[in-house]
Amino acid sequence: MIKDFNFYAPTRVVFGHEAEAKIGVLVAAVGVNKVLLHYGGGSAERSGLLGVVRDQLRQAGIAWCELGGVVPNPLLSKVREGIERCRRERVDFILAVGGGSVIDSAKAIGYGVPYPGDVWDFWDGKAVPMACLPIGVVLTIPAAGSEMSSSCVITCDDGLLKRGVNSDLCRPRFVVMNPERTYTLPPYQTAAGATDIMMHTMERYFSRYEDMTLTDSLSEALLRTVRDSVLVVLEHPDDYRHRAQLMWAGSLAHNDLTECGTEKDFATHKLEHELSALFGVTHGAGLAALWPWWARYVCAAHLNRFVQFAVNVMGVANDFAHPAETAERGIRAIEDFYRRIGMPTTVPELLHRRMTDQEIDTLVNKCSRGGTIKIGAMQVLDADDMRAIYRMANQG
Ligand code: NZQ
Ligand code: ZN
């Protein structure tokens, strides 16, 4: 079966060595009154990128104000500060300079400014976004794919609730991507980013809809490319060619291209968001610690797909007589790959300790909203399934 789809990717991509030179023109083309320049904890200032962005705005005659300090796993408190600031300064465009955390914070501020109620209503399911300030992005890390996605993932400081909201309204107008700007990424962030990129594709590849072979081929090529390129850039951080492959893969993995004819599962993402909310871990590393255990939990019911992944992506020889063994070898191959790039393959490797039973209960409770919702699509998981997977990942 091929799932019907409605593909929408409105973001202009300006990619390459001189990409930053276009920022002023791109912002001016939107026709803005005042820009909020939004960024993270300091990497963009240290690298000189923010200086280049300010020069671009100045030269284009565009007024702006600034709000930095977005943390990884971005917080609602910063979003509220941004909304207040934008209203006070009559900002009508947000320029996010950073990665998924800064972009998501920008999107949330964009939703909040025109909304008269409390912005958390959107994540709490009490309201649906009806408007969003336009967003532009200068990307510094290939990972979350937020630069082309419809998602916005925010953590409410009160209760550490990490949730996503999806709407086409927040898809950025443009993204400026210069792979050279990713040379300064620490190895751990590079590896976690690559893991996240692969997972965005895998969570659409492991699908009940198995007949869109074109999408499968695109996904398999993307996965092999990211797997190979991350190994190169961990050895040679300033390898332009492979940084470029990773950067473009990050956007393609999450702009829904690899979902055309298939279906999002995203169970591992849902399980991980609770880990990064509770323990503050890096999203991609949390995914690496969980996916092998999700895979083993659901594998028997979807053997063909796991065999295809093992053979076409991980290069495992097909043992036609024993498909379950081929599938398991594929899972082990990705665990070996995670170890090579410095990612964990269990929760104890991630947290440097085991979770307590009480912590697992907390994760399950939050992920299942007290047992009221299920997650996943290829295989639907209830609270008991979630607990079983967290427990498997906790043993390793
Ligand atoms: O804050 P600074 O100092 O800039 O440092 C950042 C941050 O510590 C650093 N960094 C970024 N670019 C750099 C750099 N350091 C040196 N040189 C550079 N060029 O990297 C760290 C991580 O940045 P962050 O933005 O948090 O990374 P990522 O892009 O992985 O975003 C993670 C967030 O996105 C969410 C995740 O859950 C997490 O909250 N996601 C958002 C999605 C979406 N909106 O579509 C989908 C994803 O599945 C994901 O859930
Ligand atoms: Zn992700």
Side-chain angles (χ1 to χ4, degrees), residues 53-65:
V53 176
R54 291 182 189 117
D55 282 348
Q56 279 288 312
L57 295 176
R58 205 173 289 121
Q59 281 163 24
I62 294 161
W64 82 92
C65 59

Side-chain angles (χ1 to χ4, degrees), residues 93-386:
F93 184 86
I94 308 175
L95 185 59
V97 181
S101 296
V102 176
I103 303 167
D104 285 1
S105 184
K107 289 174 172 178
I109 295 169
Y111 283 144
V113 171
Y115 180 62
D118 177 13
V119 69
W120 186 250
D121 287 354
F122 301 128
W123 287 267
D124 218 11
K126 292 185 182 148
V128 173
M130 300 301 284
C132 184
L133 292 189
I135 313 283
V137 175
V138 182
L139 188 66
T140 63
I141 171 172
S146 183
E147 66 277 7
M148 287 186 86
S149 84
S150 62
S151 272
C152 176
V153 184
I154 295 293
T155 299
C156 174
D157 318 40
D158 185 10
L160 295 177
L161 304 170
K162 183 172 183 177
R163 293 184 185 166
V165 160
N166 281 59
S167 161
D168 284 331
L169 292 168
C170 78
R171 289 191 195 259
R173 297 288 179 92
F174 65 80
V175 52
V176 168
M177 297 196 225
N178 179 350
E180 291 167 328
R181 294 291 173 188
T182 66
Y183 293 173
T184 51
L185 273 173
Y188 192 78
Q189 291 298 338
T190 299
T195 303
D196 193 21
I197 294 169
M198 292 177 77
M199 201 62 62
H200 292 155
T201 299
M202 287 153 68
E203 297 240 61
R204 294 168 163 108
Y205 179 82
F206 286 94
S207 161
R208 289 174 299 169
Y209 296 87
E210 298 186 330
D211 289 339
M212 186 59 113
T213 51
L214 172 60
T215 298
D216 280 356
S217 301
L218 290 170
S219 298
E220 289 164 0
L222 192 154
L223 290 167
R224 289 191 301 266
T225 301
V226 173
R227 180 199 63 193
D228 295 346
S229 290
V230 70
L231 290 169
V232 176
V233 302
L234 288 173
E235 289 286 314
H236 307 285
D238 54 357
D239 184 311
Y240 183 86
R241 185 171 155 226
H242 290 280
R243 286 289 191 190
Q245 309 285 339
L246 288 177
M247 205 164 200
W248 186 219
S251 300
L252 292 185
H254 205 34
N255 76 350
D256 300 336
L257 177 70
T258 59
E259 196 182 314
C260 294
T262 74
E263 185 182 35
K264 229 188 225 153
D265 183 282
F266 271 59
T268 308
H269 261 77
K270 295 271 165 54
L271 294 168
E272 193 293 319
H273 282 164
E274 302 308 338
L275 274 188
S276 45
L278 193 61
F279 301 112
V281 296
T282 300
H283 170 61
L287 292 170
L290 291 175
W291 189 82
W293 308 101
W294 169 84
R296 291 192 172 100
Y297 191 72
V298 307
C299 181
H302 313 278
L303 257 191
N304 286 347
R305 208 66 181 156
F306 279 90
V307 168
Q308 187 177 332
F309 174 77
V311 174
N312 291 358
V313 177
M314 299 313 296
V316 167
N318 199 344
D319 179 349
F320 291 96
H322 304 100
E325 282 182 25
T326 305
E328 172 60 23
R329 277 205 287 275
I331 298 169
R332 278 197 221 131
I334 204 162
E335 288 175 324
D336 288 344
F337 164 75
Y338 288 154
R339 286 186 201 101
R340 275 183 79 185
I341 64 171
M343 286 289 102
T345 58
T346 66
V347 171
E349 283 172 27
L350 175 73
L351 300 179
H352 309 292
R353 67 169 176 86
R354 286 194 202 286
M355 296 184 286
T356 63
D357 286 344
Q358 201 184 0
E359 285 169 337
I360 293 180
D361 283 345
T362 303
L363 295 175
V364 171
N365 230 322
K366 288 166 80 177
C367 196
S368 67
R369 311 243 174 130
T372 62
I373 63 161
K374 298 178 182 177
I375 59 171
M378 182 180 81
Q379 186 151 328
V380 175
L381 306 174
D382 64 16
D384 289 341
D385 298 315
M386 296 174 202

